[in-house]
Amino acid sequence: MKLFLNAVKELLDRGEIRFSDLTAECPSYKPVGYVDEYFYYCYPDTIYSEVRKFYAAQDLNFPLGKTALFQQLAIDKLIETDKNQTTKAKWITNSSGKKRSRLLWLRKDALEDKEENE
């Protein structure tokens, strides 16, 4: 999990990925998901792809498949789950209206407290 969290944090710090604030009037262009005070709501395929690209750019191979990664995040209680699924439905209101999406609910403190715990 550390590899995944490190990659997401680094990509955020560099501005290479963006999350649209759910309370913002104007959402980010091409976000990988949304953010509020508790969670990063990630498009599952997009965030996984960005992490793999991050490591590929360093000539490294990300060791986990998407399903295994998301299952491990659930086991480690770093994501909010829905029954037997690692994604959870979320209603998102954007410029085209309100839509329901299945997103990976990554706990915000998983990224923010990570450095303090190491």
Side-chain angles (χ1 to χ4, degrees), residues 3 51-63:
L3 287 173
V51 167
R52 286 183 50 98
K53 284 193 277 186
F54 172 80
Y55 285 108
Q58 301 172 48
D59 290 327
L60 298 171
N61 187 21
F62 187 69

Side-chain angles (χ1 to χ4, degrees), residues 4 8 17 19 32 42-51 104:
F4 174 77
V8 172
I17 60 172
F19 287 89
V32 297
C42 311
Y43 292 112
D45 292 339
T46 306
I47 196 69
Y48 181 73
S49 175
E50 290 296 328
V51 167
L104 185 76

Side-chain angles (χ1 to χ4, degrees), residues 4-118:
F4 174 77
L5 297 174
N6 287 344
V8 172
K9 177 136 181 54
E10 178 96 13
L11 289 165
L12 273 170
D13 290 346
R14 292 182 188 174
E16 293 180 29
I17 60 172
R18 290 182 268 320
F19 287 89
S20 281
D21 188 330
L22 283 174
T23 62
E25 292 284 324
C26 184
S28 296
Y29 178 69
K30 291 195 176 188
V32 297
Y34 301 88
V35 64
D36 66 14
E37 61 184 303
Y38 303 108
F39 292 97
Y40 287 101
Y41 304 98
C42 311
Y43 292 112
D45 292 339
T46 306
I47 196 69
Y48 181 73
S49 175
E50 290 296 328
V51 167
R52 286 183 50 98
K53 284 193 277 186
F54 172 80
Y55 285 108
Q58 301 172 48
D59 290 327
L60 298 171
N61 187 21
F62 187 69
L64 292 174
K66 183 173 69 169
T67 302
L69 170 64
F70 294 172
Q71 287 173 344
Q72 191 59 51
L73 287 169
I75 290 167
D76 292 346
K77 300 196 183 319
L78 298 174
I79 61 172
E80 189 80 15
T81 59
D82 190 15
K83 298 177 186 162
N84 293 328
Q85 298 184 26
T86 56
T87 59
K88 200 170 169 183
K90 177 79 176 160
W91 285 98
I92 304 291
T93 304
N94 58 22
S95 57
S96 60
K98 193 172 187 179
K99 69 177 184 174
R100 186 171 186 236
S101 298
R102 290 208 68 85
L103 303 166
L104 185 76
W105 291 34
L106 179 62
R107 295 183 188 282
K108 206 168 182 187
D109 60 6
L111 293 179
E112 294 173 354
D113 293 341
K114 184 179 67 59
E115 290 178 1
E116 295 171 16
N117 293 335
E118 292 184 302

